[in-house]
Amino acid sequence: MRGDEPVGKDEQSEAVEREAAKQRLLAQAEAERVPVDDTTRAVPDRRWRRDQR
């Protein structure tokens, strides 16, 4: 049953790589996240209504 061992190690290393990639993506997303307090509220532009009259 030694023939199955490399496949198991390959699968394990792929799982470790996937988890590491997932953690990198989560860290990047967290770093780029804009807190709600830092966002500005959109102010509607009502000039187009005046132009319609």
Side-chain angles (χ1 to χ4, degrees), residues 2-5 7-8 14-15 21 24-26 30 35-39 42 45-47 49 52:
R2 285 276 195 212
D4 292 340
E5 190 175 347
V7 174
E14 286 179 15
R24 284 193 303 272
L25 285 171
L26 289 172
E30 181 64 25
V36 174
D37 297 339
D38 291 350
T39 59
D45 185 4
R46 294 197 171 103
R47 285 181 289 180
R49 290 185 181 173
Q52 288 182 344

Side-chain angles (χ1 to χ4, degrees), residues 7-27:
V7 174
K9 287 188 178 195
D10 285 345
E11 290 174 359
Q12 184 180 7
S13 67
E14 286 179 15
V16 169
E17 289 175 15
R18 278 195 303 274
E19 184 62 29
K22 179 180 169 183
Q23 293 301 320
R24 284 193 303 272
L25 285 171
L26 289 172

